[in-house]
Amino acid sequence: MKRKIYKILAISKQSGDPSWYFDIFIISLIFLNIVAIILESVAPLKHKYQEQFFLFEVFSVVIFTVEYLLRLWTANLEPKFSQPIVGRIKFAFSPLAMIDLLAILPFFLPFLGVDLRLLRMLRMFRIFRLFKIARYLKALKLMKRVLDKKKEELMISLIFTIFLLLMASTLMYYIENEAQPENFSSIPETMWWGIATLTTVGYGDIYPITGYGQFLGGVIAIIGIGLFALPTGILAAGFSEEISSGERKAESCPTCAQQLKK
Amino acid sequence: MKRKIYKILAISKQSGDPSWYFDIFIISLIFLNIVAIILESVAPLKHKYQEQFFLFEVFSVVIFTVEYLLRLWTANLEPKFSQPIVGRIKFAFSPLAMIDLLAILPFFLPFLGVDLRLLRMLRMFRIFRLFKIARYLKALKLMKRVLDKKKEELMISLIFTIFLLLMASTLMYYIENEAQPENFSSIPETMWWGIATLTTVGYGDIYPITGYGQFLGGVIAIIGIGLFALPTGILAAGFSEEISSGERKAESCPTCAQQLKK
Amino acid sequence: MKRKIYKILAISKQSGDPSWYFDIFIISLIFLNIVAIILESVAPLKHKYQEQFFLFEVFSVVIFTVEYLLRLWTANLEPKFSQPIVGRIKFAFSPLAMIDLLAILPFFLPFLGVDLRLLRMLRMFRIFRLFKIARYLKALKLMKRVLDKKKEELMISLIFTIFLLLMASTLMYYIENEAQPENFSSIPETMWWGIATLTTVGYGDIYPITGYGQFLGGVIAIIGIGLFALPTGILAAGFSEEISSGERKAESCPTCAQQLKK
Amino acid sequence: MKRKIYKILAISKQSGDPSWYFDIFIISLIFLNIVAIILESVAPLKHKYQEQFFLFEVFSVVIFTVEYLLRLWTANLEPKFSQPIVGRIKFAFSPLAMIDLLAILPFFLPFLGVDLRLLRMLRMFRIFRLFKIARYLKALKLMKRVLDKKKEELMISLIFTIFLLLMASTLMYYIENEAQPENFSSIPETMWWGIATLTTVGYGDIYPITGYGQFLGGVIAIIGIGLFALPTGILAAGFSEEISSGERKAESCPTCAQQLKK
């Protein structure tokens, strides 16, 4: 019985068996949840179908809760989590299990005496149900491998970005503050300009107007191009490497080897 | 006769023969059609040359219709579509034949009793005639090969983008809705901000003004850089691979091999 | 005498000889010209130093004209242009000679009876003197080689961009024209929006406001990311190739070769 | 004693020893300084905690000054700077020592009789303390190596950018000046538009409105895409090269070599 449930919960390897139908059902439910969250935000729809939205929410949470509890119960069938209690706690702290918990928690927290303001915020976190899809995206692994290998270089790119942001915003604040005391009122406020410029978004709600400010802004914008080039170059090298490492294993000078074996 | 027409319709391999002149004629006609569509949208020109535009449209559609029918008629001369009826239906559903049909359909649909509102929309789809050029762009194949090979990774990039867009828009909606109930009125409305930020377009018609909103917006904009880096890295690896795979075939340690053959 | 002048005009291979001083002089003069063009556009400076600007312009054009005539005279000392007349005409149509001519032409055209309106425009083309620097930028050659090799793929990227621009602008025109007849007044007008969106510039002077328009705009903006990825991927592969092709020549399995020679 | 201090100042290789605690202390102090600079710019915080900010500033500068003097004193223990006086001067001009000096200088300059206006600007340069972190970022070296190797190509990219900026701004000035004499008042002023367009920031405070201006703007924006592609392609090739050069050393046709050794 327990093993049967474990198999159904696991990702199906064959279309048509019960596990496959379960996967389809969960994936559909996740998508419907996302659609419901989006539609509920549209005021006229919310007022008209308030009850239906609530019922669907209760239905979804019940399903997801049962799914979570079953996964927790059957967790010790996996060799990694074989110990009855320690194994289950380990499982509960695995990324996928954490996501499953986060997907249902916003519903239960209000019962624990959370005030109304926080309640509104909790509704926001229902969107994290989207991450439950991650379990079913196999192709994500290839990408994860590249990102993992290059994580150090990507981290440095991020640190560069933050460095630049701090530098640019501090200098710009001292330059522009006098001319535009409202827009560039403090360094944290100026960082909003800094991000919009470094990422080349440029909303246009805040920009330098003095000569020095525009000069600094121009330099920062050009350096910003480098912020696109760095992670792109790193990832391009990462993907190339991943491919060629696979090819080299197969290759390693086969012609010579064959010729020599004779 | 039929074989002769088939040869003329096919892409010419030699400049100067009838098929070559036919290619030039069709390509010119496509370009003139695009120019006509663009010029017709300019109000003063439309009013002045209404008749000429209409006559050119009729002329083009007649030519394109005859071309389409002849292609359909001669389709079974290709080994792939050799069966008289099934082959022709197969041909009719091939991408290039579909484009040919789409290029003339907007003209004929009104006769089938389509109302005026839809009619206006149909005029819009005349721009799809542009795709008829695809048949003559040989260099497109190289690019198509790279895109085909990397289609799975590129798909994942797109899914990432949609994920991020949903996450960013939902969170931003809950954060900014109170401060700007008009601009961030619902999640679908907020997605317009989300796309403008993730793609770094940043029109500036809608942007966060609260502290939390600007912080989230900044994080999203920086993550948005990654959305440029991912497909670029994938394509860079794809192009490198395509080139080196060609080179390796020729190479495979030739020095050793030659030396050994002695 | 003629050979001496030819050597002075050629790019110096040794610092300190007359040719080297001549190079320095011409490069400095080009830079001063650019500075003068920029400063002359600042109204207060123009009024104050009108005479000086004019004198410097005359001085520069005299030098550049003498330089051009001497280059033309000594051209037939190069083996490529050895014939006295045909060779000189060939030289005159080489890119670098054309640039030299363009740099002085705007000054002389008014004497040939050009009207005042065109005169103003001619002043604009003085900026092309900047290209005279190209002769002295050796590192440009490496970059030119990569761009040359990949010119076909880059061309396709550009055709893609134009395709997308035409499609996006035509569809957007038909969708938004009714809601914003002033901003989206015609397809050419809408192309201004199209370029700002595809290149992710997003000035914010013109953007869709209808639901359908924003949906199309979002799709176009996301596809626009691909327009950055394509040329970048192509160039990344080109630079990689250029480097590895140099390395492979040196390599080609040296260990094996040496071992076998014994 | 001197050797002991030198070891403490050097980067720790082992967690838990005095040098390690010193590193942690300095890094923390740098971060607290950055936080203080940012918070001090927020008007209400500045007025409330003026005294505390000043005390922390004095405390930091004392620490950083003592650190700088000790580094200078112990510098001649490094073989590179072994000579007592010449070595120390050399050390003082090394990039890391310069940063250390810049981090404290803004505090001491006022005592040398600097006027109040400059004083305000000096406060701005306190942000350069951020660079003191560079000493502790080991991963920066890998990135520095790639940037160093490709510095010539990256330089050319920058020159391209400046070329384009000068060309675009000059042409745009002559085209748009008549229609918008306020926004495009001079070439330096127009360069602000040029940078916003080439880097795809597009604040939207200044943009062409005439037909010719929009056409030029569109061409410039599309060329601007290339400005992203160039450095990215260069860096991608650089990172690939760095990786494969490491791999090739290990490889160099090992199968053949081994086979032949038998």
Side-chain angles (χ1 to χ4, degrees), chain A residues 121-132:
Chain A
M121 233 183 72
L122 282 173
R123 299 190 66 73
M124 175 168 97
F125 291 112
R126 286 184 303 157
I127 194 69
F128 286 114
R129 279 174 205 167
L130 194 58
F131 286 123
K132 278 175 75 82

Side-chain angles (χ1 to χ4, degrees), chain A residues 90-181:
Chain A
K90 265 192 195 168
F91 170 78
F93 280 96
S94 72
L96 286 173
M98 293 285 281
I99 288 169
D100 285 343
L101 185 62
L102 274 171
I104 49 173
L105 220 60
F107 185 83
F108 294 111
L109 280 181
F111 299 110
L112 305 173
V114 171
D115 69 84
L116 267 163
R117 224 189 119 73
L118 205 71
L119 196 99
R120 205 184 126 76
M121 233 183 72
L122 282 173
R123 299 190 66 73
M124 175 168 97
F125 291 112
R126 286 184 303 157
I127 194 69
F128 286 114
R129 279 174 205 167
L130 194 58
F131 286 123
K132 278 175 75 82
I133 289 284
R135 182 176 275 124
Y136 303 99
L137 276 176
K138 287 174 203 169
L140 217 74
K141 279 175 196 165
L142 180 100
M143 207 148 277
K144 203 170 156 275
R145 210 162 55 225
V146 170
L147 289 175
D148 255 22
K149 253 193 186 167
K150 298 287 157 191
K151 124 186 105 183
E152 211 179 328
E153 279 106 329
L154 290 174
M155 208 61 215
I156 294 279
S157 298
L158 187 63
I159 291 173
F160 257 132
T161 311
I162 293 169
F163 252 63
L164 250 167
L165 180 61
L166 287 173
M167 289 290 302
S169 303
T170 304
L171 297 180
M172 190 55 97
Y173 162 71
Y174 280 102
I175 293 173
E176 283 291 311
N177 180 35
E178 226 168 297
Q180 303 185 75

Side-chain angles (χ1 to χ4, degrees), chain D residues 91-158:
Chain D
F91 171 78
F93 281 96
S94 72
L96 286 174
M98 292 286 280
I99 288 168
D100 285 344
L101 185 61
L102 274 171
I104 49 173
L105 220 59
F107 185 83
F108 294 112
L109 279 182
F111 300 110
L112 305 174
V114 171
D115 70 84
L116 266 164
R117 224 190 119 73
L118 205 71
L119 196 100
R120 206 185 125 76
M121 234 183 72
L122 283 173
R123 298 190 67 72
M124 176 167 97
F125 292 111
R126 286 184 303 158
I127 195 68
F128 286 114
R129 277 173 206 167
L130 194 58
F131 287 123
K132 278 175 76 83
I133 289 285
R135 182 175 276 124
Y136 303 99
L137 276 176
K138 286 174 202 169
L140 218 74
K141 278 176 196 166
L142 179 101
M143 207 148 280
K144 204 170 154 275
R145 210 163 54 226
V146 170
L147 289 175
D148 255 23
K149 253 194 187 167
K150 298 287 157 192
K151 122 186 105 183
E152 211 179 327
E153 280 105 327
L154 291 174
M155 209 59 215
I156 294 280
S157 299
L158 187 64

